[in-house]
Amino acid sequence: MTLWTRAQQLPPECLQKVRMIYVDHFPIEVRHCLASWIESRIWTAEPEDQQRSFVNELVQEIQTNADLMLSPDMFVTKMKLLEAAKNFHMQYSHAPQELYAYMRRCLALEMEVIQNAMGTPYVAQPHTERKYSELITGLQTVRQKVNIAGEEIRSLQANIESLSLQYHECLKNKGHMNYLQQQTVTTERRDLVACLRGQIEDTERKLNALVAQITQSQMELVDHMKENITNLRQLQSQVLDDELIKWKREQQLSGNGVPMQSNLNTIQEWCELLADLIWTTRQQVNNVARINSKTIVELRQPHLAEMLDDMSKQVTGLLSTLVTSTFVIEKQPPQVMKTNTRFTATVRLLVGGQLNVYMTPPRVSVVIISEQQAQLLLKSDTQAGKGKQPVECGDILNNTGTMEYQPTSRQLSVSFRNMQLRKIKRAEKKGTESVMDEKLTLLFQSQFNVGGGELVFQVWTLSLPVVVIVHGNQEPHGWATVTWDNAFSPPGRVPFAVPDKVTWGQLAETLSLKFSSATGGSLSEDNLRFLAEKIFRTSLPLNTMELNAMAVSWTQFCKDALPERNFTFWEWFYMVVKVTRDYLRTLWCDRLIMGFIQKKQAEDMLSKCPPGTFLLRFSDSELGGITIAWTGDGNEVFSLQPFTSRDLMLRSLADRVFDLTQLQFLYPNVPKDDVFSKYYTKPENEMLKNGYVKPVLVTTLPPYMSSSPAYAHSPDSHRNTPSVNSSCGTTILQL
């Protein structure tokens, strides 16, 4: 992500600070339009001898970008860029080092604003910036060559028109000479015939030279257009096969909490440039073919017509690929989808504005299909809309919409805001498969008219795989299927194939991202080792590299129950994430919850501490439960019955820690009020407006805990530490 892209994501007050950096000496329009080029040149300080050419190169870059702004919407920006280029040349051509240093200071100030706003340092990615700069340079180079081809076509047409005039004049003179030769010979006629013969011979010499010139020009022009098509194909592959595919992969990984780096608006700019160049090249090819077909018979070259026809098919194929590939799902539908529940999705055509597709507003329809139907759709040589339609496996309400064009953003899109899956038809299950293992997908279909109906494209795109559930208790397993698919789907896969086994290193990264995106706090190496011990259920190598190389299967991940439990590893982890996200986020981020620690290890740690020392850990036996383990008299360690979401909804964990006077020091020796007090609920010292006094729930231990050091042992025979039930009593605050 470029520094400028990150700057545009700042809140309004911070964005205003960035705007104040760029004034007359460095207009913000230049910063915006040349973001990648500027950052690629200025991140690393250049030697002074290289800085000497900086102003000239900057001015050239500005002019090149301005030349690409053909839309009326960009007229004002284009004028500002050209004015900036003029000012740069006038003020800094004699002192390019000053401008270079000034721009470096501006970028440093911009980076400081971003770091202060986001709290994280910005790390430049020179390879990425260089790649983007090379892409823009490639598009600009092709633009210049396409413009040159346009000039060559105009010159060719002028030469052919001149040839046609001279050719017909020559035919006229020959006819006149033949007429005179058939008449009675006189001195005057003989002289006139000789004069005409001389004119004809001179014209034929000129015609032969012009024919040779035209023939050479035609072949050079064809070669130039071939080169342009080849370059466009390479650039299009770079945009579609690299950048757009990378964006789609990032979109998929974002479902697991990975921050997106690519910017769809930037990709749209590239696609619009490609669309303009491809469309212009197609018109040029067709124009040359038309000129060739209308020229005099003697000049027509059959092989040239065949070449132009082949080139027309190639460039139309490029346009078809561009249109069909840039029909993308900007906002994916929910990947775990509950029936009879409203959901949304947004699709967008990245070249819709450039190709004026909005002039005939396209309608988009949505259906849900099975994994098998998705495979058949991709294998088919014909696109959806031609031939047999995929078989739907469900009924979606409000599944059609018309794409709308927003001139300010140049976006052609449609948002489905009120879709609802009413019913679903399941595929037959094999072996241990459940309905939560079944992957479906939403198929978005439309038809686009380009060039006033000259070209019609049937387009479709598939959503990321979705799992359909009918009950809330199916949600954890549904998310297991989605999380595994998002993380480990190979590129270019057959829908929706995923490996049955991955390395622990891969899975650990996925779990860490999932946890941190949901809770705001990361997992430590110790946390991840704890999770590895839980999923492998065996002794692990001490070497991290060996551990990361161990294989984990899908069955271990979410099918097999944990030892002596009735739930799987994923169900346990999912509920830990959920309770932390909903009720424990601040405590976790403040490192007040140890969380991922074995019960026996916690017992050993606390047994060496003074009475009243406690720690908070996630329960092994209760899904989504968190327990308080503490040291009692005689260094005996006890654990409270785990608190779940139902308990924490009534009273927060921090308040429960406050309630229990037996808890004095957070492990190893931190007074609890020093770290928990800011999370305590402040008591209300006034009566309610209706005159009543509001009761407060308070956590207490049973009476036998305070009267005798002998504690009842856990009813769970598998637990070593005595377990104590806590209770919430209602008290009245003293007014």
Side-chain angles (χ1 to χ4, degrees):
M1 182 186 295
T2 64
L3 181 67
W4 185 244
T5 300
R6 189 169 286 199
Q8 293 175 74
Q9 299 172 355
L10 292 174
E13 62 276 10
C14 296
L15 191 58
Q16 183 61 29
K17 294 180 182 178
V18 173
R19 288 178 60 87
M20 296 299 292
I21 296 172
Y22 299 102
V23 287
D24 295 340
H25 291 291
F26 187 0
I28 197 168
E29 290 82 8
V30 175
R31 177 68 181 98
H32 176 71
C33 295
L34 274 69
S36 297
W37 186 89
I38 290 172
E39 292 177 31
S40 66
R41 286 295 304 268
I42 292 181
W43 274 128
T44 305
E46 295 181 349
E48 285 196 10
D49 58 336
Q50 293 184 21
Q51 295 179 24
R52 290 172 189 160
S53 60
F54 180 72
V55 171
N56 290 336
E57 293 176 10
L58 175 63
V59 169
Q60 179 61 43
E61 194 70 20
I62 292 174
Q63 291 174 341
T64 303
N65 274 268
D67 290 342
L68 296 174
M69 296 178 180
L70 304 177
S71 168
D73 299 339
M74 303 298 291
F75 178 76
V76 175
T77 302
K78 181 177 181 178
M79 292 298 100
K80 289 184 177 180
L81 286 181
L82 293 175
E83 183 180 359
K86 180 181 177 182
N87 291 337
F88 284 144
H89 187 267
M90 290 175 59
Q91 297 179 24
Y92 294 104
S93 58
H94 63 287
Q97 292 89 347
E98 290 184 16
L99 179 61
Y100 187 87
Y102 178 74
M103 285 190 166
R104 278 182 63 82
R105 289 196 297 272
C106 289
L107 259 67
L109 291 171
E110 182 183 322
M111 185 163 59
E112 185 179 339
V113 172
I114 292 172
Q115 289 177 343
N116 291 338
M118 296 188 170
T120 55
Y122 175 79
V123 180
Q125 299 170 312
H127 174 72
T128 302
E129 304 304 334
R130 193 181 310 115
K131 186 177 180 182
Y132 287 175
S133 180
E134 290 173 356
L135 179 58
I136 291 296
T137 302
L139 288 167
Q140 293 169 348
T141 301
V142 174
R143 160 69 67 191
Q144 293 169 352
K145 291 184 177 180
V146 168
N147 290 340
I148 291 171
E151 292 294 334
E152 291 175 346
I153 291 172
R154 285 187 284 273
S155 176
L156 174 65
Q157 187 163 8
N159 285 338
I160 289 178
E161 289 173 354
S162 174
L163 175 71
S164 179
L165 290 174
Q166 294 182 50
Y167 177 76
H168 286 94
E169 184 65 26
C170 185
L171 289 180
K172 178 182 175 182
N173 287 341
K174 283 184 178 181
H176 191 191
M177 185 180 68
N178 290 336
Y179 172 76
L180 292 175
Q181 287 176 338
Q182 293 172 5
Q183 303 301 315
T184 304
V185 177
T186 64
T187 302
E188 183 181 353
R189 286 176 179 169
R190 187 182 302 111
D191 293 342
L192 184 56
V193 167
C195 180
L196 287 172
R197 182 175 288 109
Q199 290 179 4
I200 291 170
E201 290 174 354
D202 183 57
T203 302
E204 285 181 341
R205 281 194 300 271
K206 291 180 179 179
L207 284 174
N208 288 332
L210 194 53
V211 166
Q213 180 184 346
I214 289 173
T215 302
Q216 183 179 357
S217 298
Q218 285 178 325
M219 299 314 298
E220 289 178 353
L221 175 59
V222 168
D223 288 341
H224 291 163
M225 291 193 298
K226 280 184 178 180
E227 181 185 355
N228 290 344
I229 293 172
T230 299
N231 291 335
L232 285 170
R233 183 180 293 107
Q234 292 173 350
L235 289 168
Q236 179 164 291
S237 175
Q238 194 174 341
V239 172
L240 301 183
D241 300 338
D242 295 342
E243 302 304 325
L244 187 57
I245 292 298
K246 184 175 78 171
W247 177 84
K248 290 182 178 181
R249 179 60 180 151
E250 288 182 3
Q251 185 187 49
Q252 184 176 22
L253 289 173
S254 69
N256 285 357
V258 181
M260 291 193 68
Q261 300 295 326
S262 300
N263 189 313
L264 191 59
N265 292 336
T266 300
I267 296 174
Q268 174 168 314
E269 291 177 10
W270 296 337
C271 291
E272 287 178 333
L273 286 173
L274 279 170
D276 181 44
L277 293 172
I278 291 172
W279 183 258
T280 301
T281 301
R282 183 176 181 274
Q283 288 180 314
Q284 289 178 347
V285 171
N286 292 341
N287 196 16
V288 173
R290 178 185 58 79
I291 292 172
N292 185 59
S293 66
K294 289 187 175 182
T295 192
I296 55 179
V297 178
E298 290 80 0
L299 272 180
R300 293 179 192 171
Q301 303 180 43
H303 68 284
L304 179 60
E306 294 174 3
M307 292 169 61
L308 291 170
D309 184 58
D310 181 60
M311 290 166 61
S312 179
K313 290 177 181 177
Q314 288 183 42
V315 76
T316 302
L318 286 179
L319 187 64
S320 175
T321 300
L322 183 63
V323 172
T324 54
S325 299
T326 55
F327 182 55
V328 298
I329 303 174
E330 182 176 10
K331 180 185 177 184
Q332 291 283 341
Q335 288 190 265
V336 176
M337 186 180 297
K338 191 176 181 182
T339 54
N340 298 307
T341 302
R342 186 179 72 89
F343 66 92
T344 63
T346 301
V347 291
R348 176 170 158 190
L349 180 64
L350 303 184
V351 294
Q354 185 65 43
L355 296 178
N356 296 326
V357 174
Y358 59 89
M359 300 300 289
T360 307
R363 287 189 64 77
V364 181
S365 62
V366 190
V367 296
I368 188 167
I369 62 175
S370 66
E371 182 175 347
Q372 182 183 15
Q373 286 294 316
Q375 293 172 1
L376 292 174
L377 182 62
L378 290 179
K379 287 179 182 178
S380 175
D381 291 332
T382 56
Q383 295 177 326
K386 296 181 181 180
K388 189 176 180 180
Q389 285 284 325
V391 178
E392 302 176 28
C393 62
D395 182 18
I396 299 178
L397 291 180
N398 304 315
N399 66 331
T400 59
T402 301
M403 301 189 82
E404 297 179 355
Y405 181 64
Q406 302 297 330
T408 53
S409 61
R410 295 182 58 80
Q411 293 181 9
L412 180 67
S413 62
V414 57
S415 294
F416 297 88
R417 297 184 177 88
N418 295 292
M419 288 194 289
Q420 189 176 109
L421 181 61
R422 295 300 302 273
K423 60 182 180 180
I424 191 69
K425 181 180 178 182
R426 302 284 188 182
E428 293 184 6
K429 303 296 177 291
K430 301 176 183 178
T432 60
E433 287 183 344
S434 70
V435 294
M436 289 82 78
D437 295 324
E438 183 180 6
K439 300 175 195 174
L440 307 168
T441 182
L442 268 61
L443 170 64
F444 294 80
Q445 303 175 92
S446 188
Q447 175 177 294
F448 299 145
N449 294 324
V450 176
E454 178 185 352
L455 298 172
V456 179
F457 299 105
Q458 305 288 339
V459 299
W460 56 267
T461 188
L462 295 173
S463 74
L464 293 173
V466 300
V467 174
V468 175
I469 62 174
V470 295
H471 299 294
N473 59 10
Q474 296 174 321
E475 187 175 301
H477 192 109
W479 275 113
T481 301
V482 166
T483 300
W484 190 276
D485 188 277
N486 284 347
F488 310 124
S489 58
R493 64 172 174 174
V494 175
F496 290 107
V498 287
D500 183 59
K501 292 183 179 181
V502 298
T503 65
W504 167 250
Q506 292 174 300
L507 182 58
E509 182 183 10
T510 298
L511 296 176
S512 183
L513 288 166
K514 195 80 176 174
F515 189 91
S516 61
S517 68
T519 67
S522 59
L523 294 178
S524 67
E525 287 297 322
D526 289 339
N527 298 153
L528 293 173
R529 177 167 281 272
F530 171 88
L531 294 175
E533 291 171 353
K534 186 171 283 290
I535 199 170
F536 286 118
R537 311 162 198 181
T538 184
S539 59
L540 299 174
L542 294 177
N543 186 290
T544 302
M545 291 183 63
E546 293 180 16
L547 173 59
N548 287 340
M550 293 177 64
V552 183
S553 69
W554 164 252
T555 302
Q556 287 173 292
F557 178 64
C558 70
K559 289 288 188 179
D560 293 343
L562 293 172
E564 302 174 352
R565 306 293 180 210
N566 61 354
F567 48 80
T568 66
F569 168 84
W570 170 258
E571 288 172 326
W572 181 87
F573 179 78
Y574 178 85
M575 294 305 293
V576 164
V577 173
K578 189 173 182 181
V579 73
T580 306
R581 178 195 66 195
D582 295 343
Y583 300 102
L584 308 173
R585 177 191 290 262
T586 53
L587 298 182
W588 175 265
C589 292
D590 219 6
R591 301 186 182 279
L592 304 183
I593 298 174
M594 192 166 291
F596 300 98
I597 181 174
Q598 296 287 354
K599 189 169 185 291
K600 181 67 169 61
Q601 184 182 358
E603 181 180 297
D604 292 341
M605 291 163 55
L606 289 171
S607 65
K608 301 172 185 176
C609 298
T613 306
F614 69 98
L615 60 78
L616 309 175
R617 56 176 289 272
F618 297 120
S619 170
D620 290 315
S621 59
E622 185 86 24
L623 282 177
I626 186 166
T627 184
I628 303 175
W630 83 98
T631 307
D633 294 336
N635 284 57
E636 189 172 6
V637 179
F638 303 92
S639 289
L640 278 182
Q641 179 176 313
F643 301 112
T644 63
S645 296
R646 293 186 299 274
D647 304 308
L648 300 175
M649 189 185 304
L650 298 173
R651 188 160 179 79
S652 73
L653 184 60
D655 286 341
R656 292 177 185 274
V657 169
F658 170 76
D659 295 339
L660 297 171
T661 57
Q662 294 85 349
L663 310 180
Q664 296 297 319
F665 304 99
L666 179 66
Y667 182 88
N669 56 5
V670 182
K672 71 175 183 181
D673 289 342
D674 288 358
V675 289
F676 282 96
S677 59
K678 61 183 176 182
Y679 300 115
Y680 297 157
T681 301
K682 294 181 180 179
E684 296 185 15
N685 297 321
E686 298 180 0
M687 287 191 296
L688 300 177
K689 292 182 179 179
N690 57 13
Y692 289 106
V693 178
K694 185 177 180 180
V696 177
L697 295 174
V698 177
T699 305
T700 61
L701 296 180
Y704 65 83
M705 288 295 296
S706 56
S707 61
S708 170
Y711 297 100
H713 285 272
S714 168
D716 185 348
S717 60
H718 304 296
R719 300 168 73 177
N720 301 319
T721 303
S723 178
V724 179
N725 290 328
S726 62
S727 62
C728 268
T730 304
T731 64
I732 304 297
L733 290 177
Q734 297 297 320
L735 298 178

